Amino acid sequence: MKSTPPVSSVPDASGPHRRVHARVLAALLSAGALAVAGWLAFNASDGVSVTPQDQRLVALVALALFLGGITFYLAAAVVSGPRSPDNHGPARPGSGTVEADGSARTIRRIRSLSALGAVFAVAALLAVAGLGALRVLVPPAERPVSVQFSDITGRVQLEFCPSLPSSFEALAKPADLSASTTLLPVWVASRVCGNPSFQNGVWLYLNRSTITVADADDR
């Protein structure tokens, strides 16, 4: 009477499906990594917030976690199963058990790599959520203002910002706006300044007697 092999020794046919699943998740994580990389390239230096360096750091951590998850999922997607025995020769005793054990090891390997990929993916999503919280919940230390030069002799900043117009938008701290100091520190973006040396913008100290400052929203 022919006996049925134990369930644990029957090759798991879910291996190909698990590999396809890992490839799909790797593609999704690649899209997330591309989005974070795009944000770093184009938006990380926009404006001045309380923690600009922290925002970049969190984005870099998220990107590294995405790449880690992609690596593990791709590794799971290319795990190969045991080689099929040569069907031309006579079947050897125990060959079915060896094949089942090899298949089981392959499935465990795919599961292990996919689990590590999932850990990295979840951590990356949490990092992205933290980055979003920083952008939304942490208010900027500065507020947008409109600066108008009332006296051309006050435009001493031309040596730093050659294309600085007579009227431009900038950022200023509320405490500085309400202070009575002679100079008002304002932050201008690189495109306003016109100096390629200041890719992340520059702080200018303008003489209050030569400028008119208003809320940018009030214009």
Side-chain angles (χ1 to χ4, degrees):
M1 184 174 178
K2 194 173 183 181
S3 60
T4 303
V7 176
S8 59
S9 67
V10 177
D12 191 340
S14 65
H17 300 288
R18 293 180 185 276
R19 282 189 280 267
V20 171
H21 185 255
R23 283 194 291 268
V24 171
L25 290 177
L28 291 176
L29 291 185
S30 298
L34 184 62
V36 173
W39 185 89
L40 276 170
F42 297 106
N43 292 325
S45 61
D46 282 354
V48 178
S49 66
V50 176
T51 54
Q53 291 80 13
D54 290 345
Q55 291 187 36
R56 293 186 183 91
L57 177 61
V58 174
L60 287 173
V61 169
L63 182 59
L65 291 171
F66 273 121
L67 294 178
I70 292 169
T71 301
F72 282 114
Y73 276 123
L74 288 179
V78 299
V79 170
S80 59
R83 298 184 63 180
S84 301
D86 190 357
N87 293 328
H88 296 288
R92 291 179 297 176
S95 60
T97 303
V98 172
E99 182 181 354
D101 289 343
S103 179
R105 284 195 298 270
T106 300
I107 295 302
R108 286 196 297 270
R109 180 69 173 162
I110 294 175
R111 285 176 177 172
S112 176
L113 291 171
S114 296
L116 289 173
V119 170
F120 275 80
V122 171
L125 292 176
L126 290 176
V128 170
L131 178 61
L134 280 176
R135 298 282 291 184
V136 174
L137 300 179
V138 178
E142 294 78 25
R143 74 185 194 194
V145 294
S146 173
V147 179
Q148 171 74 51
F149 280 104
S150 56
D151 184 354
I152 194 63
T153 60
R155 296 179 61 184
V156 295
Q157 306 298 334
L158 287 178
E159 57 182 295
F160 298 105
C161 300
S163 65
L164 188 69
S166 59
S167 178
F168 59 93
E169 288 192 358
L171 296 175
K173 296 180 180 180
D176 291 333
L177 290 172
S178 60
S180 57
T181 55
T182 303
L183 299 178
L184 173 65
V186 296
W187 181 92
V188 296
S190 176
R191 63 182 182 276
V192 176
C193 177
N195 190 336
S197 301
F198 305 121
Q199 295 184 359
N200 294 324
V202 61
W203 283 96
L204 300 179
Y205 293 82
L206 306 178
N207 194 321
R208 292 178 187 269
S209 62
T210 62
I211 59 173
T212 301
V213 182
D215 255 339
D217 296 334
D218 295 339
R219 289 196 316 163

